[in-house]
Amino acid sequence: MSWDGFKEWVLEGSFWAALAASAFLLALVFMPILFPPKNPPYPIKDRPVSGGVLRMDVPGPIGDLYPFSGASGYSTYAMQMMYNSLCGRADRGGMEPELAEAWESGPDGLEWTFRLRRGVRFHHGREMTAEDVSMSLMTYFGELAPVYLDQILRVETPDPYTVEVVFSRPTGSFLDVAAEIPIVPVECLTPDHDWFNRPVGTGPFRMDSRKGDEEIFLAAFPDFFRGEPHLEGVRISRCDRWQDVWWRIFAEQTDFILEAEPKDRKYYEFSSYLMRTAVSDTVQYHVLLFNQSRPPLDDVRVRRALSLAVKRDGLSENVRIGIRPGTRSGERNPELEDPWLLHAEEYHVIRSLELLESAGWKDRDGDGYLDRAGIPLTLRLVAPADLTWEQDMIQRIMRDLLRIGVRMEWRIADQREMVEGILKTRDFDAVFSLVRLNPEQPQSLSNNFHSSGIWNFGGYSNPFVDRILEHLFREPDSRVRGELYAEFVRRITEDQAWMVLGRKQVVSTLSNYFGGFEHIRMSFPKRPRYHEVYLKEGAKPGSFQLLAHERAGHRGFWADKWTPLEILIRTP
């Protein structure tokens, strides 16, 4: 159409008629969403019914289901439904019974006796005994907390329902550790057992099927010791692209979203069928762990200079450093200080350049890059593949380092390749990692920062820090443990063992078709009581009760008919 023809079309009114028709059609499609009735006429009552499948989305590969690997990716959420420990953390502090119905210890914390719950069955049908507990404890100590092996004198099973653990030194925090140890059958703790496809635990749901790292289906375990779950099963699917997540919400193809990006919370709250969106802090921090065993990062001046050169404020909308959220909706409460909160290094480019120059790194040839003896200063960074939406942070770190003339090369590797081929051979300068920092869980701190820690791949060593970590294991007073933790943080910060980037936040949201969300807590202390989650009476997930024709039917136009929105979504 020529320009003159277009003007004639507009002046004749055909253009305005087409525009009005398009606006009318769009209004028909989106009015049920944009203007839902205050009291929608869907027949859903908040009462539990038996059955229903909860569809969960995670943002990365699901991974292995071996509970003692220490690097399980997003299979953690499946493990919370499949495994139980001797005890668990109660909402208001302290411990509550799980597989152990009672326990006792001597005043010196050297001897611990656990009385096991009778009649607990594993997913393959056999009853749990003290031998299973004993072997699970020793496997955990050997693979994830070797510091305990030097302190254990013996683990005894005087009868099938009693376990006695005797230490050579007091272990005041042992119950905190026991709450983290899954109990599995002794016959499955063999090198040839297939934990990827045939995991066995005591939890409310058991493995039914899986499609590699993309999807697993957990079926309800009718013999669960707390009673049969309300749900028929749980399907966990990988969905790591924002567009796919948003479409799955829009099309009611998911019911529970875990670890979504906090910056996208506003999009989840737009959806009318989501019950509520929770923004939670975790006890994990995004950090760069430096390899101090070789140049150039064996020099503390270089490590501190790199940390000073990264501007945390603009690093990511998904992490924070400062005041913790005061409500589940994510509103800030300036009165609530977090006693475990880490504070990152200040942003100071001039000081960074001064430190690098004092260490011999300068731009000698005027090309904008720092070098020493003709060798450019390059940071080789490796990051795990399961950290998907955090990768924007790496790109911004590279941007900030380029401003001071430091090159950065980074690569992504799956967990096995990263550990076996890169970290154990120390073929890296820094690793982008999530570090769990909590004085109530000293085994994680020890694994990363003790000179003999199994995850201390960067060669960090400080005898004073070693003594602090060893003291944490045997200190019974939580106040003193907090003081030891504060001193630990101060020491490793002085040594510049890491670059603190920010505290991880996660967004979780559950559809309004399900109840019992109050029994699921992702922040510390975890309370993953999935057996209490239920489908509401009258709810039909995926039927658009909350999104389409029943809400539009309240206006009469689309009563008992599919809306154009449904037709769009249902059309292949």
Side-chain angles (χ1 to χ4, degrees):
M1 179 183 295
S2 65
W3 174 245
D4 291 336
F6 176 74
K7 289 192 292 183
E8 183 179 354
W9 180 56
V10 172
L11 291 174
E12 285 180 354
S14 301
F15 168 79
W16 302 108
L19 183 62
S22 300
F24 177 72
L25 289 174
L26 287 173
L28 291 181
V29 172
F30 290 105
M31 186 173 290
I33 302 174
L34 298 177
F35 304 102
K38 293 183 179 179
N39 298 304
Y42 53 84
I44 298 179
K45 299 179 181 179
D46 194 2
R47 291 201 294 259
V49 297
S50 297
V53 175
L54 181 67
R55 301 164 299 174
M56 303 172 62
D57 280 357
V58 295
I62 296 172
D64 200 358
L65 295 168
Y66 180 55
F68 304 115
S69 67
S72 53
Y74 292 101
S75 63
T76 298
Y77 296 107
M79 292 188 196
Q80 290 174 352
M81 305 180 211
M82 299 172 64
Y83 303 120
N84 294 102
S85 302
L86 292 172
C87 55
R89 294 180 178 85
D91 282 346
R92 298 184 179 180
M95 293 291 169
E96 60 184 12
E98 277 200 20
L99 298 180
E101 60 183 9
W103 54 81
E104 58 190 32
S105 68
D108 53 7
L110 294 175
E111 300 180 3
W112 293 81
T113 301
F114 294 90
R115 312 291 180 188
L116 303 184
R117 192 185 299 267
R118 296 169 183 258
V120 175
R121 296 203 170 273
F122 289 112
H123 295 156
H124 60 11
R126 182 174 65 76
E127 185 182 10
M128 180 194 71
T129 67
E131 185 182 5
D132 301 306
V133 175
S134 172
M135 185 58 69
S136 296
L137 294 178
M138 294 305 295
T139 302
Y140 176 86
F141 296 149
E143 299 198 23
L144 293 179
V147 68
Y148 275 105
L149 290 179
D150 296 334
Q151 303 177 26
I152 293 177
L153 291 179
R154 59 186 182 275
V155 178
E156 297 181 340
T157 55
D159 63 64
Y161 302 104
T162 304
V163 177
E164 297 175 352
V165 185
V166 182
F167 293 91
S168 60
R169 291 184 293 182
T171 53
S173 60
F174 182 57
L175 279 184
D176 295 297
V177 177
E180 299 291 322
I181 304 177
I183 305 303
V184 299
V186 62
E187 63 268 22
C188 295
L189 291 172
T190 59
D192 59 346
H193 185 78
D194 183 7
W195 285 97
F196 190 86
N197 294 299
R198 296 189 297 110
V200 182
T202 60
F205 295 90
R206 59 184 172 186
M207 170 66 80
D208 182 270
S209 62
R210 74 178 296 164
K211 298 177 182 177
D213 277 334
E214 301 301 311
E215 180 181 291
I216 61 174
F217 180 74
L218 305 178
F221 181 42
D223 295 328
F224 180 53
F225 66 91
R226 294 192 187 277
E228 186 174 0
H230 295 292
L231 297 172
E232 174 188 339
V234 179
R235 178 173 286 106
I236 304 177
S237 303
R238 175 184 180 179
C239 189
D240 57 3
R241 292 195 306 164
W242 175 85
Q243 297 92 338
D244 292 339
V245 173
W246 173 234
W247 177 252
R248 287 168 68 81
I249 296 171
F250 194 66
E252 293 196 7
Q253 295 175 359
T254 185
D255 305 304
F256 197 3
I257 299 171
L258 294 163
E259 294 203 27
E261 295 191 57
K263 70 178 183 180
D264 294 327
R265 169 178 161 237
K266 55 183 177 291
Y267 299 110
Y268 306 131
E269 293 181 338
F270 172 76
S271 176
S272 57
Y273 98 101
L274 295 176
M275 181 172 67
R276 64 184 176 191
T277 299
V279 182
S280 304
D281 282 337
T282 70
V283 293
Q284 294 178 309
Y285 282 82
H286 293 287
V287 299
L288 295 190
L289 296 176
F290 294 124
N291 183 0
Q292 303 173 47
S293 64
R294 66 180 193 181
L297 297 180
D298 57 345
D299 190 330
V300 67
R301 292 171 296 179
V302 176
R303 300 196 300 269
R304 179 155 293 125
L306 297 181
S307 187
L308 289 170
V310 175
K311 187 176 183 180
R312 289 6 179 245
D313 292 345
L315 201 57
S316 175
E317 298 177 56
N318 292 319
V319 299
R320 71 169 188 86
I321 298 177
I323 306 302
R324 74 182 305 172
T327 67
R328 290 183 67 82
S329 64
E331 297 173 2
R332 306 293 182 185
N333 186 344
E335 297 179 359
L336 292 177
E337 291 283 355
D338 191 332
W340 299 338
L341 193 62
L342 289 184
H343 295 278
E345 290 274 0
E346 61 179 326
Y347 176 59
H348 203 304
V349 173
I350 301 301
R351 178 59 179 155
S352 173
L353 291 170
E354 290 174 348
L355 285 170
L356 289 171
E357 185 172 355
S358 69
W361 296 96
K362 300 173 61 176
D363 179 12
R364 292 176 170 82
D365 53 13
D367 63 353
Y369 295 103
L370 304 182
D371 63 86
R372 186 175 65 183
I375 300 174
L377 179 55
T378 303
L379 182 72
R380 296 190 305 142
L381 177 70
V382 61
D386 58 357
L387 296 181
T388 52
W389 48 262
E390 290 94 342
Q391 291 178 18
D392 65 323
M393 299 171 63
I394 299 176
Q395 294 172 344
R396 292 172 183 172
I397 292 170
M398 182 168 63
R399 173 202 64 194
D400 288 348
L401 294 182
L402 280 173
R403 288 174 179 169
I404 63 168
V406 177
R407 293 182 172 94
M408 192 179 93
E409 301 171 357
W410 64 288
R411 55 177 166 164
I412 302 296
D414 63 41
Q415 193 69 38
R416 187 179 300 276
E417 176 193 358
M418 190 173 78
V419 173
E420 300 297 330
I422 301 173
L423 299 184
K424 286 186 177 180
T425 60
R426 296 188 176 178
D427 185 24
F428 69 100
D429 293 319
V431 57
F432 186 91
S433 182
L434 275 173
V435 175
R436 181 183 297 271
L437 298 175
N438 185 345
E440 305 302 328
Q441 296 175 302
Q443 70 275 16
S444 178
L445 302 179
S446 180
N447 288 338
N448 281 285
F449 299 104
H450 195 282
S451 57
S452 62
I454 59 174
W455 297 335
N456 183 5
F457 300 113
Y460 174 71
S461 180
N462 184 324
F464 188 80
V465 170
D466 286 352
R467 290 195 294 273
I468 291 176
L469 292 171
E470 291 162 7
H471 192 174
L472 267 174
F473 276 98
R474 60 179 183 270
E475 176 54 56
D477 191 320
S478 60
R479 181 186 60 81
V480 176
R481 288 204 300 271
E483 294 173 353
L484 289 169
Y485 169 79
E487 181 62 21
F488 158 79
V489 169
R490 190 179 70 82
R491 292 283 179 162
I492 61 174
T493 301
E494 285 181 355
D495 294 339
Q496 205 67 57
W498 56 14
M499 181 194 298
V500 179
L501 303 174
R503 189 173 188 176
K504 182 177 181 180
Q505 289 184 303
V506 296
V507 166
S508 302
T509 184
L510 181 72
S511 87
N512 213 2
Y513 292 121
F514 291 85
F517 182 62
E518 64 272 14
H519 303 298
I520 307 299
R521 175 179 293 166
M522 298 305 163
S523 58
F524 182 82
K526 292 181 179 178
R527 189 190 179 199
R529 296 181 180 175
Y530 285 97
H531 63 286
E532 298 184 21
V533 175
Y534 56 85
L535 180 67
K536 294 180 180 179
E537 182 181 326
K540 299 177 182 178
S543 68
F544 302 95
Q545 282 178 296
L546 308 178
L547 186 64
H549 65 271
E550 293 206 20
R551 286 196 167 193
H554 185 66
R555 288 168 164 71
F557 189 86
W558 292 108
D560 301 320
K561 302 179 183 69
W562 280 5
T563 64
L565 175 63
E566 282 188 277
I567 295 172
L568 175 67
I569 292 176
R570 292 174 184 268
T571 301

